[in-house]
Amino acid sequence: MKSNDKTGTEPNERSSGDAEITESTGNVFADLGFEAEEAANLKVRARLMVRLRRFIKERGMTQDEAADYFGVNQPRISDLVNKKIDKFSIDTLVNMLTQAGVGVKIDFNEAESSSNESAKVPA
């Protein structure tokens, strides 16, 4: 990339005193260096977990009450509350949200769609 003439930084970087600030890609996991597929998966799971935690908090549930509600044990809710993202699959989180009556909507960005999606399959 070409550096910015005024600051000597890359165009997507800004200088703030001694620290360099780089604009986010919109996915903190990608920014942290995860491969694109894993970063996308982590971002989805994180958003689902945030919504589940909000559901539990809005209803004032204890971990034991939430465990009973979702039909899991209390340590499983503790993992959710403590943001242990590696302990949950997208399927599990979607199932829990559905059980809570929370709809899940999926959006696709054109930049994220595969070029194979529009490929014609011979009959």
Side-chain angles (χ1 to χ4, degrees), residues 99-114:
Q99 185 174 349
V102 177
V104 176
K105 179 181 174 184
I106 299 173
D107 266 342
F108 296 95
N109 293 331
E110 288 302 315
E112 294 175 357
S113 68
S114 168

Side-chain angles (χ1 to χ4, degrees), residues 2-9:
K2 185 177 178 183
S3 69
N4 184 320
D5 293 309
K6 293 181 183 177
T7 64
T9 61

Side-chain angles (χ1 to χ4, degrees), residues 2-63:
K2 185 177 178 183
S3 69
N4 184 320
D5 293 309
K6 293 181 183 177
T7 64
T9 61
E10 298 297 323
N12 66 339
E13 296 179 351
R14 293 174 289 185
S15 182
S16 176
D18 293 339
E20 286 186 17
I21 301 170
T22 303
E23 283 186 47
S24 173
T25 63
N27 182 334
V28 68
F29 300 105
D31 296 341
L32 290 171
F34 287 94
E35 294 294 324
E37 294 82 6
E38 186 174 6
N41 187 289
L42 287 165
K43 182 178 179 181
V44 169
R45 285 189 283 160
R47 292 190 68 199
L48 295 169
M49 289 177 76
V50 165
R51 185 60 185 97
L52 272 169
R53 287 193 308 270
R54 185 169 23 136
F55 174 85
I56 292 167
K57 184 177 181 180
E58 285 172 348
R59 281 150 188 79
M61 292 179 171
T62 65
Q63 288 187 14

Side-chain angles (χ1 to χ4, degrees), residues 68-100:
D68 287 342
Y69 182 88
F70 289 109
V72 297
N73 60 25
Q74 179 276 326
R76 190 79 167 132
I77 299 300
S78 178
D79 289 340
L80 176 70
V81 170
N82 291 304
K83 305 172 187 170
K84 294 188 178 178
I85 197 167
D86 58 313
K87 303 272 186 181
F88 293 90
S89 69
I90 291 173
D91 287 351
T92 296
L93 296 165
V94 168
N95 290 342
M96 291 174 78
L97 283 165
T98 301
Q99 185 174 349

